[in-house]
Amino acid sequence: MKAPEFCLPNQDGVEICLRDLKGKWIVLYFYPKDNTPGCTTEAKEFSELLDEFEKLGAIVIGVSPDSPKRHCNFIEKHGLKITLLSDENKDVLKAYGAWGKKKMYGKEYEGVIRSTFIINPEGEIVKEYKKVKAKGHAAKVLEDLKELIS
């Protein structure tokens, strides 16, 4: 399946577009909110494994509805090495099916569904993960990426 196109600002306000990343493996992960326990765990684990992803020719990009300024603070506070994109309008979240109904404590609400997509150099989604558990997820994605590339 073709990955939905996007152009979003990163933590420095620089626009990053999917079309500019063609030719690379991309790990695109969607998460709810900067500086929350699960999201911090996931971002730190992806940062810790970033060298391994880069050795495979892959880039790791996180996306949430938080502003570039919040992303910048999140990166500085936790020493993150990954790129974070801001989807304040939630258009990209919706295009990837990472926005929808959720339940917590019996209440239903709309929110980010923690999801990850591996996109091949041709711009196709070759693996997707829905309703991800943050802890250990980055290592699983790395393992799957190695299999996809070999």
Side-chain angles (χ1 to χ4, degrees), residues 32-55:
K33 195 167 180 55
D34 293 343
N35 288 308
T36 55
C39 298
T40 300
T41 295
E42 189 175 26
K44 284 176 147 182
E45 288 184 6
F46 272 119
S47 288
E48 287 164 11
L49 294 172
L50 188 61
D51 289 346
E52 295 294 314
F53 282 103
E54 288 176 345
K55 282 179 193 162

PDB file of all heavy atoms in Angstrom, residues 32-55:
ATOM      1  N   PRO A  32       0.675   9.712  21.255  1.00  0.00           N
ATOM      2  CA  PRO A  32      -0.278  10.707  21.756  1.00  0.00           C
ATOM      3  C   PRO A  32       0.285  12.048  22.231  1.00  0.00           C
ATOM      4  O   PRO A  32      -0.196  13.092  21.831  1.00  0.00           O
ATOM      5  CB  PRO A  32      -0.976   9.991  22.910  1.00  0.00           C
ATOM      6  CG  PRO A  32      -0.813   8.539  22.600  1.00  0.00           C
ATOM      7  CD  PRO A  32       0.540   8.426  21.950  1.00  0.00           C
ATOM      8  N   LYS A  33       1.294  12.037  23.107  1.00  0.00           N
ATOM      9  CA  LYS A  33       1.655  13.302  23.745  1.00  0.00           C
ATOM     10  C   LYS A  33       3.076  13.287  24.305  1.00  0.00           C
ATOM     11  O   LYS A  33       3.468  12.340  24.970  1.00  0.00           O
ATOM     12  CB  LYS A  33       0.655  13.588  24.868  1.00  0.00           C
ATOM     13  CG  LYS A  33       0.660  14.991  25.396  1.00  0.00           C
ATOM     14  CD  LYS A  33      -0.579  15.203  26.255  1.00  0.00           C
ATOM     15  CE  LYS A  33      -0.667  16.586  26.838  1.00  0.00           C
ATOM     16  NZ  LYS A  33      -0.595  17.682  25.901  1.00  0.00           N
ATOM     17  N   ASP A  34       3.795  14.375  24.040  1.00  0.00           N
ATOM     18  CA  ASP A  34       5.143  14.540  24.589  1.00  0.00           C
ATOM     19  C   ASP A  34       5.106  14.521  26.120  1.00  0.00           C
ATOM     20  O   ASP A  34       4.144  15.012  26.733  1.00  0.00           O
ATOM     21  CB  ASP A  34       5.745  15.881  24.141  1.00  0.00           C
ATOM     22  CG  ASP A  34       6.018  15.948  22.645  1.00  0.00           C
ATOM     23  OD1 ASP A  34       6.052  14.895  21.995  1.00  0.00           O
ATOM     24  OD2 ASP A  34       6.209  17.068  22.137  1.00  0.00           O
ATOM     25  N   ASN A  35       6.170  13.984  26.707  1.00  0.00           N
ATOM     26  CA  ASN A  35       6.386  13.996  28.157  1.00  0.00           C
ATOM     27  C   ASN A  35       5.369  13.208  28.971  1.00  0.00           C
ATOM     28  O   ASN A  35       5.202  13.468  30.163  1.00  0.00           O
ATOM     29  CB  ASN A  35       6.487  15.438  28.694  1.00  0.00           C
ATOM     30  CG  ASN A  35       7.787  16.086  28.289  1.00  0.00           C
ATOM     31  OD1 ASN A  35       8.862  15.530  28.502  1.00  0.00           O
ATOM     32  ND2 ASN A  35       7.702  17.248  27.678  1.00  0.00           N
ATOM     33  N   THR A  36       4.692  12.241  28.344  1.00  0.00           N
ATOM     34  CA  THR A  36       3.849  11.325  29.109  1.00  0.00           C
ATOM     35  C   THR A  36       4.658  10.026  29.253  1.00  0.00           C
ATOM     36  O   THR A  36       5.571   9.777  28.456  1.00  0.00           O
ATOM     37  CB  THR A  36       2.503  11.069  28.407  1.00  0.00           C
ATOM     38  OG1 THR A  36       2.753  10.610  27.087  1.00  0.00           O
ATOM     39  CG2 THR A  36       1.657  12.338  28.365  1.00  0.00           C
ATOM     40  N   PRO A  37       4.363   9.207  30.250  1.00  0.00           N
ATOM     41  CA  PRO A  37       5.225   8.036  30.514  1.00  0.00           C
ATOM     42  C   PRO A  37       5.446   7.106  29.316  1.00  0.00           C
ATOM     43  O   PRO A  37       6.592   6.796  28.965  1.00  0.00           O
ATOM     44  CB  PRO A  37       4.514   7.324  31.654  1.00  0.00           C
ATOM     45  CG  PRO A  37       3.752   8.410  32.355  1.00  0.00           C
ATOM     46  CD  PRO A  37       3.320   9.350  31.269  1.00  0.00           C
ATOM     47  N   GLY A  38       4.372   6.644  28.668  1.00  0.00           N
ATOM     48  CA  GLY A  38       4.517   5.714  27.550  1.00  0.00           C
ATOM     49  C   GLY A  38       5.226   6.346  26.360  1.00  0.00           C
ATOM     50  O   GLY A  38       6.091   5.729  25.727  1.00  0.00           O
ATOM     51  N   CYS A  39       4.879   7.575  26.067  1.00  0.00           N
ATOM     52  CA  CYS A  39       5.474   8.264  24.914  1.00  0.00           C
ATOM     53  C   CYS A  39       6.958   8.550  25.149  1.00  0.00           C
ATOM     54  O   CYS A  39       7.767   8.480  24.227  1.00  0.00           O
ATOM     55  CB  CYS A  39       4.718   9.554  24.621  1.00  0.00           C
ATOM     56  SG  CYS A  39       2.990   9.243  24.184  1.00  0.00           S
ATOM     57  N   THR A  40       7.306   8.859  26.390  1.00  0.00           N
ATOM     58  CA  THR A  40       8.712   9.098  26.729  1.00  0.00           C
ATOM     59  C   THR A  40       9.502   7.802  26.608  1.00  0.00           C
ATOM     60  O   THR A  40      10.591   7.782  26.031  1.00  0.00           O
ATOM     61  CB  THR A  40       8.828   9.694  28.154  1.00  0.00           C
ATOM     62  OG1 THR A  40       8.100  10.929  28.184  1.00  0.00           O
ATOM     63  CG2 THR A  40      10.273   9.947  28.529  1.00  0.00           C
ATOM     64  N   THR A  41       8.951   6.704  27.112  1.00  0.00           N
ATOM     65  CA  THR A  41       9.606   5.397  27.001  1.00  0.00           C
ATOM     66  C   THR A  41       9.856   5.064  25.535  1.00  0.00           C
ATOM     67  O   THR A  41      10.975   4.684  25.154  1.00  0.00           O
ATOM     68  CB  THR A  41       8.723   4.297  27.641  1.00  0.00           C
ATOM     69  OG1 THR A  41       8.627   4.562  29.044  1.00  0.00           O
ATOM     70  CG2 THR A  41       9.288   2.908  27.410  1.00  0.00           C
ATOM     71  N   GLU A  42       8.833   5.209  24.698  1.00  0.00           N
ATOM     72  CA  GLU A  42       8.943   4.873  23.276  1.00  0.00           C
ATOM     73  C   GLU A  42       9.994   5.747  22.583  1.00  0.00           C
ATOM     74  O   GLU A  42      10.847   5.236  21.854  1.00  0.00           O
ATOM     75  CB  GLU A  42       7.576   5.036  22.615  1.00  0.00           C
ATOM     76  CG  GLU A  42       7.508   4.506  21.200  1.00  0.00           C
ATOM     77  CD  GLU A  42       6.107   4.565  20.618  1.00  0.00           C
ATOM     78  OE1 GLU A  42       5.290   5.407  21.045  1.00  0.00           O
ATOM     79  OE2 GLU A  42       5.833   3.762  19.710  1.00  0.00           O
ATOM     80  N   ALA A  43       9.958   7.048  22.832  1.00  0.00           N
ATOM     81  CA  ALA A  43      10.909   7.972  22.194  1.00  0.00           C
ATOM     82  C   ALA A  43      12.346   7.687  22.635  1.00  0.00           C
ATOM     83  O   ALA A  43      13.272   7.713  21.820  1.00  0.00           O
ATOM     84  CB  ALA A  43      10.534   9.413  22.522  1.00  0.00           C
ATOM     85  N   LYS A  44      12.536   7.386  23.923  1.00  0.00           N
ATOM     86  CA  LYS A  44      13.879   7.075  24.422  1.00  0.00           C
ATOM     87  C   LYS A  44      14.402   5.777  23.804  1.00  0.00           C
ATOM     88  O   LYS A  44      15.569   5.688  23.435  1.00  0.00           O
ATOM     89  CB  LYS A  44      13.873   6.960  25.949  1.00  0.00           C
ATOM     90  CG  LYS A  44      13.821   8.291  26.664  1.00  0.00           C
ATOM     91  CD  LYS A  44      13.720   8.037  28.158  1.00  0.00           C
ATOM     92  CE  LYS A  44      14.417   9.105  28.936  1.00  0.00           C
ATOM     93  NZ  LYS A  44      14.368   8.853  30.381  1.00  0.00           N
ATOM     94  N   GLU A  45      13.536   4.762  23.691  1.00  0.00           N
ATOM     95  CA  GLU A  45      13.966   3.487  23.108  1.00  0.00           C
ATOM     96  C   GLU A  45      14.332   3.656  21.632  1.00  0.00           C
ATOM     97  O   GLU A  45      15.332   3.103  21.171  1.00  0.00           O
ATOM     98  CB  GLU A  45      12.888   2.414  23.299  1.00  0.00           C
ATOM     99  CG  GLU A  45      12.790   1.956  24.744  1.00  0.00           C
ATOM    100  CD  GLU A  45      11.795   0.825  24.972  1.00  0.00           C
ATOM    101  OE1 GLU A  45      11.225   0.290  23.994  1.00  0.00           O
ATOM    102  OE2 GLU A  45      11.584   0.473  26.147  1.00  0.00           O
ATOM    103  N   PHE A  46      13.534   4.420  20.873  1.00  0.00           N
ATOM    104  CA  PHE A  46      13.889   4.671  19.474  1.00  0.00           C
ATOM    105  C   PHE A  46      15.206   5.448  19.393  1.00  0.00           C
ATOM    106  O   PHE A  46      16.040   5.173  18.531  1.00  0.00           O
ATOM    107  CB  PHE A  46      12.776   5.421  18.729  1.00  0.00           C
ATOM    108  CG  PHE A  46      11.735   4.521  18.122  1.00  0.00           C
ATOM    109  CD1 PHE A  46      10.406   4.607  18.513  1.00  0.00           C
ATOM    110  CD2 PHE A  46      12.075   3.593  17.137  1.00  0.00           C
ATOM    111  CE1 PHE A  46       9.435   3.780  17.941  1.00  0.00           C
ATOM    112  CE2 PHE A  46      11.116   2.764  16.564  1.00  0.00           C
ATOM    113  CZ  PHE A  46       9.798   2.859  16.964  1.00  0.00           C
ATOM    114  N   SER A  47      15.417   6.406  20.300  1.00  0.00           N
ATOM    115  CA  SER A  47      16.662   7.183  20.313  1.00  0.00           C
ATOM    116  C   SER A  47      17.868   6.295  20.622  1.00  0.00           C
ATOM    117  O   SER A  47      18.916   6.430  19.987  1.00  0.00           O
ATOM    118  CB  SER A  47      16.579   8.320  21.341  1.00  0.00           C
ATOM    119  OG  SER A  47      15.716   9.328  20.886  1.00  0.00           O
ATOM    120  N   GLU A  48      17.698   5.393  21.603  1.00  0.00           N
ATOM    121  CA  GLU A  48      18.792   4.490  21.986  1.00  0.00           C
ATOM    122  C   GLU A  48      19.188   3.566  20.831  1.00  0.00           C
ATOM    123  O   GLU A  48      20.346   3.179  20.703  1.00  0.00           O
ATOM    124  CB  GLU A  48      18.395   3.667  23.206  1.00  0.00           C
ATOM    125  CG  GLU A  48      18.382   4.477  24.487  1.00  0.00           C
ATOM    126  CD  GLU A  48      17.635   3.798  25.635  1.00  0.00           C
ATOM    127  OE1 GLU A  48      17.285   2.598  25.524  1.00  0.00           O
ATOM    128  OE2 GLU A  48      17.374   4.496  26.640  1.00  0.00           O
ATOM    129  N   LEU A  49      18.228   3.199  19.992  1.00  0.00           N
ATOM    130  CA  LEU A  49      18.491   2.277  18.877  1.00  0.00           C
ATOM    131  C   LEU A  49      18.710   2.998  17.542  1.00  0.00           C
ATOM    132  O   LEU A  49      18.865   2.341  16.515  1.00  0.00           O
ATOM    133  CB  LEU A  49      17.320   1.292  18.742  1.00  0.00           C
ATOM    134  CG  LEU A  49      17.133   0.323  19.903  1.00  0.00           C
ATOM    135  CD1 LEU A  49      15.840  -0.461  19.744  1.00  0.00           C
ATOM    136  CD2 LEU A  49      18.321  -0.618  20.028  1.00  0.00           C
ATOM    137  N   LEU A  50      18.745   4.328  17.566  1.00  0.00           N
ATOM    138  CA  LEU A  50      18.835   5.080  16.320  1.00  0.00           C
ATOM    139  C   LEU A  50      20.045   4.693  15.473  1.00  0.00           C
ATOM    140  O   LEU A  50      19.930   4.545  14.255  1.00  0.00           O
ATOM    141  CB  LEU A  50      18.839   6.593  16.587  1.00  0.00           C
ATOM    142  CG  LEU A  50      18.742   7.459  15.339  1.00  0.00           C
ATOM    143  CD1 LEU A  50      17.443   7.197  14.573  1.00  0.00           C
ATOM    144  CD2 LEU A  50      18.856   8.933  15.693  1.00  0.00           C
ATOM    145  N   ASP A  51      21.206   4.483  16.109  1.00  0.00           N
ATOM    146  CA  ASP A  51      22.405   4.080  15.352  1.00  0.00           C
ATOM    147  C   ASP A  51      22.165   2.782  14.588  1.00  0.00           C
ATOM    148  O   ASP A  51      22.606   2.636  13.447  1.00  0.00           O
ATOM    149  CB  ASP A  51      23.612   3.925  16.279  1.00  0.00           C
ATOM    150  CG  ASP A  51      24.119   5.259  16.809  1.00  0.00           C
ATOM    151  OD1 ASP A  51      23.717   6.308  16.266  1.00  0.00           O
ATOM    152  OD2 ASP A  51      24.904   5.243  17.777  1.00  0.00           O
ATOM    153  N   GLU A  52      21.457   1.838  15.218  1.00  0.00           N
ATOM    154  CA  GLU A  52      21.159   0.557  14.573  1.00  0.00           C
ATOM    155  C   GLU A  52      20.233   0.756  13.365  1.00  0.00           C
ATOM    156  O   GLU A  52      20.435   0.146  12.312  1.00  0.00           O
ATOM    157  CB  GLU A  52      20.496  -0.404  15.565  1.00  0.00           C
ATOM    158  CG  GLU A  52      21.389  -0.811  16.723  1.00  0.00           C
ATOM    159  CD  GLU A  52      22.575  -1.641  16.273  1.00  0.00           C
ATOM    160  OE1 GLU A  52      22.393  -2.576  15.477  1.00  0.00           O
ATOM    161  OE2 GLU A  52      23.706  -1.336  16.717  1.00  0.00           O
ATOM    162  N   PHE A  53      19.226   1.619  13.528  1.00  0.00           N
ATOM    163  CA  PHE A  53      18.325   1.919  12.409  1.00  0.00           C
ATOM    164  C   PHE A  53      19.103   2.575  11.271  1.00  0.00           C
ATOM    165  O   PHE A  53      18.934   2.223  10.104  1.00  0.00           O
ATOM    166  CB  PHE A  53      17.175   2.839  12.863  1.00  0.00           C
ATOM    167  CG  PHE A  53      16.076   2.132  13.607  1.00  0.00           C
ATOM    168  CD1 PHE A  53      15.971   2.222  14.981  1.00  0.00           C
ATOM    169  CD2 PHE A  53      15.128   1.373  12.922  1.00  0.00           C
ATOM    170  CE1 PHE A  53      14.958   1.576  15.675  1.00  0.00           C
ATOM    171  CE2 PHE A  53      14.103   0.714  13.598  1.00  0.00           C
ATOM    172  CZ  PHE A  53      14.021   0.819  14.974  1.00  0.00           C
ATOM    173  N   GLU A  54      19.973   3.521  11.625  1.00  0.00           N
ATOM    174  CA  GLU A  54      20.741   4.242  10.602  1.00  0.00           C
ATOM    175  C   GLU A  54      21.701   3.321   9.857  1.00  0.00           C
ATOM    176  O   GLU A  54      21.913   3.497   8.661  1.00  0.00           O
ATOM    177  CB  GLU A  54      21.470   5.433  11.232  1.00  0.00           C
ATOM    178  CG  GLU A  54      20.503   6.540  11.603  1.00  0.00           C
ATOM    179  CD  GLU A  54      21.150   7.713  12.330  1.00  0.00           C
ATOM    180  OE1 GLU A  54      22.300   7.585  12.818  1.00  0.00           O
ATOM    181  OE2 GLU A  54      20.485   8.767  12.415  1.00  0.00           O
ATOM    182  N   LYS A  55      22.257   2.320  10.546  1.00  0.00           N
ATOM    183  CA  LYS A  55      23.142   1.341   9.886  1.00  0.00           C
ATOM    184  C   LYS A  55      22.389   0.585   8.794  1.00  0.00           C
ATOM    185  O   LYS A  55      22.989   0.117   7.825  1.00  0.00           O
ATOM    186  CB  LYS A  55      23.720   0.352  10.900  1.00  0.00           C
ATOM    187  CG  LYS A  55      24.859   0.897  11.713  1.00  0.00           C
ATOM    188  CD  LYS A  55      25.346  -0.144  12.708  1.00  0.00           C
ATOM    189  CE  LYS A  55      26.257   0.509  13.737  1.00  0.00           C
ATOM    190  NZ  LYS A  55      26.431  -0.303  14.929  1.00  0.00           N
TER     191      LYS A  55
END
